[in-house]
Amino acid sequence: MAWGNLDEEDPYQVFKVTKLASGNYSIQCVGNQRFIDWVNGDACLTTAAYNLPLVEKQTTEQIITPDIAHNTPWFMLCNVKNKCSYHMLSHNNGSGESGYLCAANVGYNSFNYWYIRRVDDAVGDAMTENGLKKTYATLLELAIENAKQVRAKANDYEALIYEA
């Protein structure tokens, strides 16, 4: 999962948060309908923790903790399998423009606390529809490109029999 500059029209930057029976949450990307999963380790110690994956089915419960200690409207996000908070890799102390989301045990700072804002249900539904259209269009483009490459290989052969 990656981060970038805020685009309120981008369905890939909107997430549906659902409270689970356990009191934890599922967090689902509106754009591609995938769920935040988990990554093992601490990005401060290993590159294996650099890219937080999105998966097709809800498998890992997410933890959302309000920042009561600093009296801010921010939240710390992590999951039940790894308590390292979700952190913006490549933030470059505020001058970064994009990068991966990772799990990093860096303590309190603005690069691992998140602002959560409610989106109106009608807007969320429209973004879900647009996101799915965009996702399906991208998948179709990839399938067409792959088909073109396969067809080109099928036409690229050297004849071994010239007369029969």
Side-chain angles (χ1 to χ4, degrees):
M1 187 162 74
W3 67 272
N5 290 327
L6 178 63
D7 178 356
E8 294 181 9
E9 306 280 322
D10 185 354
Y12 293 94
Q13 291 190 9
V14 176
F15 290 82
K16 179 180 179 181
V17 177
T18 305
K19 191 165 192 172
L20 303 172
S22 65
N24 294 320
Y25 300 87
S26 71
I27 303 177
Q28 182 181 29
C29 178
V30 169
N32 60 17
Q33 299 296 297
R34 291 177 174 257
F35 294 87
I36 296 178
D37 198 33
W38 78 287
V39 62
N40 191 24
D42 178 349
C44 295
L45 304 174
T46 176
T47 59
Y50 275 11
N51 191 1
L52 185 67
L54 293 172
V55 294
E56 290 190 26
K57 293 184 180 183
Q58 166 61 38
T59 56
T60 305
E61 293 185 7
Q62 305 298 312
I63 299 170
I64 301 175
T65 306
D67 181 19
I68 297 169
H70 298 93
N71 197 26
T72 65
W74 301 88
F75 294 84
M76 191 274 293
L77 306 175
C78 65
N79 62 69
V80 296
K81 295 181 180 179
N82 185 348
K83 300 295 190 231
C84 290
S85 59
Y86 298 155
H87 185 81
M88 294 182 291
L89 189 65
S90 306
H91 60 74
N92 202 22
N93 292 320
S95 63
E97 294 184 12
S98 65
Y100 288 119
L101 208 60
C102 66
N105 189 21
V106 294
Y108 176 79
N109 71 50
S110 60
F111 302 109
N112 65 328
Y113 274 66
W114 302 87
Y115 182 74
I116 299 175
R117 186 178 71 184
R118 188 178 187 330
V119 174
D120 181 81
D121 289 341
V123 171
D125 291 344
M127 291 185 96
T128 298
E129 185 178 329
N130 290 339
L132 289 173
K133 286 179 183 177
K134 187 175 179 179
T135 296
Y136 293 147
T138 300
L139 291 173
L140 181 59
E141 286 176 22
L142 291 170
I144 290 170
E145 183 57 36
N146 187 44
K148 286 178 181 179
Q149 291 174 8
V150 169
R151 180 65 185 159
K153 287 179 183 177
N155 289 341
D156 184 24
Y157 67 93
E158 182 178 333
L160 300 176
I161 301 173
Y162 293 99
E163 290 182 37

XYZ file of all heavy atoms in Angstrom, residues 10-16 28-34 124 127-136:
202
model
N -9.990 10.806 -5.268
C -9.388 9.509 -5.596
C -9.953 8.411 -4.697
O -9.716 8.412 -3.487
C -7.866 9.595 -5.421
C -7.158 8.335 -5.862
O -7.822 7.335 -6.203
O -5.916 8.347 -5.869
N -10.693 7.445 -5.282
C -11.279 6.378 -4.458
C -10.232 5.464 -3.829
O -10.542 4.724 -2.897
C -12.159 5.614 -5.450
C -11.625 5.931 -6.793
C -11.030 7.299 -6.697
N -8.996 5.525 -4.295
C -7.934 4.719 -3.703
C -7.371 5.367 -2.436
O -6.548 4.786 -1.758
C -6.814 4.477 -4.712
C -7.277 3.602 -5.850
C -7.763 4.153 -7.022
C -7.248 2.223 -5.735
C -8.215 3.343 -8.050
C -7.695 1.405 -6.755
C -8.177 1.978 -7.915
O -8.630 1.174 -8.922
N -7.837 6.579 -2.121
C -7.416 7.245 -0.893
C -8.537 7.295 0.144
O -8.425 7.960 1.155
C -6.926 8.661 -1.201
C -5.630 8.678 -1.963
C -5.039 10.071 -2.051
O -5.497 11.007 -1.421
N -4.007 10.212 -2.842
N -9.623 6.582 -0.136
C -10.751 6.519 0.791
C -10.891 5.082 1.278
O -10.804 4.142 0.486
C -12.056 6.987 0.108
C -13.246 6.823 1.039
C -11.923 8.422 -0.349
N -11.087 4.926 2.586
C -11.180 3.594 3.177
C -12.459 3.463 3.990
O -12.861 4.393 4.682
C -9.968 3.329 4.077
C -8.707 3.155 3.294
C -7.991 4.259 2.849
C -8.237 1.897 2.990
C -6.831 4.110 2.107
C -7.080 1.731 2.248
C -6.377 2.842 1.813
N -13.071 2.296 3.866
C -14.260 1.985 4.653
C -13.791 1.289 5.932
O -13.141 0.251 5.881
C -15.193 1.066 3.860
C -16.441 0.684 4.611
C -17.312 -0.229 3.754
C -18.561 -0.629 4.527
N -19.394 -1.534 3.725
N -10.992 -1.211 4.620
C -11.095 -1.635 3.226
C -10.954 -0.442 2.293
O -11.638 0.569 2.449
C -12.450 -2.314 3.000
C -12.662 -2.844 1.621
C -14.043 -3.470 1.475
O -14.994 -3.083 2.139
N -14.152 -4.445 0.585
N -10.074 -0.562 1.306
C -9.896 0.487 0.294
C -11.137 0.537 -0.595
O -11.568 -0.475 -1.149
C -8.651 0.191 -0.544
S -8.383 1.391 -1.859
N -11.718 1.701 -0.734
C -12.913 1.869 -1.551
C -12.600 1.638 -3.030
O -13.391 1.061 -3.758
C -13.512 3.283 -1.326
C -14.585 3.608 -2.331
C -14.070 3.387 0.084
N -11.416 2.040 -3.461
C -11.064 1.964 -4.872
C -10.950 0.565 -5.429
O -11.400 0.287 -6.531
N -10.344 -0.349 -4.669
C -10.150 -1.705 -5.196
C -10.774 -2.783 -4.320
O -10.600 -3.973 -4.583
C -8.666 -1.986 -5.401
C -7.867 -1.888 -4.126
O -8.408 -1.910 -3.028
N -6.556 -1.756 -4.266
N -11.476 -2.372 -3.271
C -12.188 -3.280 -2.372
C -11.275 -4.230 -1.596
O -11.711 -5.250 -1.101
C -13.253 -4.077 -3.144
C -14.307 -3.218 -3.795
C -15.125 -2.455 -2.755
O -15.804 -3.057 -1.943
N -15.036 -1.146 -2.766
N -9.985 -3.917 -1.512
C -9.048 -4.767 -0.771
C -8.902 -4.260 0.662
O -9.125 -3.088 0.941
C -7.691 -4.792 -1.466
C -7.749 -5.538 -2.777
C -6.418 -5.506 -3.493
N -6.458 -6.343 -4.660
C -5.902 -7.548 -4.727
N -5.246 -8.034 -3.702
N -5.982 -8.256 -5.828
N -19.376 8.095 -0.556
C -18.657 6.822 -0.448
C -19.140 5.807 -1.476
O -18.332 5.118 -2.109
N -17.891 6.840 -4.886
C -16.449 6.584 -5.000
C -16.175 5.094 -5.164
O -15.273 4.705 -5.900
C -15.705 7.148 -3.801
C -15.709 8.661 -3.775
S -14.707 9.307 -2.455
C -13.182 9.601 -3.336
N -16.955 4.261 -4.481
C -16.802 2.815 -4.632
C -17.084 2.413 -6.074
O -16.317 1.655 -6.681
C -17.758 2.066 -3.675
O -17.416 2.394 -2.339
C -17.669 0.564 -3.871
N -18.166 2.929 -6.629
C -18.511 2.619 -8.022
C -17.420 3.085 -8.979
O -16.989 2.343 -9.864
C -19.844 3.267 -8.379
C -20.341 2.914 -9.763
C -21.689 3.527 -10.074
O -22.498 3.717 -9.144
O -21.926 3.817 -11.258
N -16.939 4.316 -8.800
C -15.881 4.839 -9.670
C -14.577 4.069 -9.493
O -13.859 3.819 -10.458
C -15.649 6.324 -9.390
C -16.798 7.179 -9.857
O -17.589 6.772 -10.705
N -16.931 8.357 -9.294
N -14.279 3.702 -8.261
C -13.062 2.938 -7.994
C -13.095 1.579 -8.662
O -12.103 1.133 -9.246
N -14.242 0.902 -8.575
C -14.363 -0.410 -9.221
C -14.239 -0.286 -10.736
O -13.587 -1.112 -11.381
C -15.685 -1.071 -8.828
C -15.756 -1.549 -7.380
C -17.159 -2.040 -7.042
C -14.737 -2.645 -7.125
N -14.850 0.745 -11.302
C -14.724 0.964 -12.754
C -13.257 1.162 -13.134
O -12.777 0.607 -14.112
C -15.548 2.180 -13.178
C -17.033 1.941 -13.200
C -17.782 3.205 -13.607
C -19.273 3.013 -13.559
N -20.014 4.248 -13.888
N -12.556 1.971 -12.335
C -11.142 2.251 -12.604
C -10.309 0.977 -12.465
O -9.441 0.695 -13.296
C -10.653 3.332 -11.634
C -9.267 3.839 -11.893
C -8.941 4.983 -10.944
C -7.543 5.501 -11.160
N -7.209 6.611 -10.270
N -10.577 0.189 -11.415
C -9.850 -1.057 -11.198
C -10.091 -2.032 -12.344
O -9.153 -2.624 -12.880
C -10.265 -1.702 -9.858
O -9.881 -0.819 -8.803
C -9.602 -3.049 -9.656
N -11.364 -2.204 -12.737
C -11.682 -3.129 -13.830
C -11.083 -2.659 -15.153
O -10.613 -3.465 -15.952
C -13.192 -3.314 -13.964
C -13.822 -4.032 -12.790
C -15.104 -3.735 -12.372
C -13.118 -4.996 -12.059
C -15.684 -4.386 -11.286
C -13.688 -5.637 -10.975
C -14.972 -5.336 -10.601
O -15.537 -5.977 -9.531
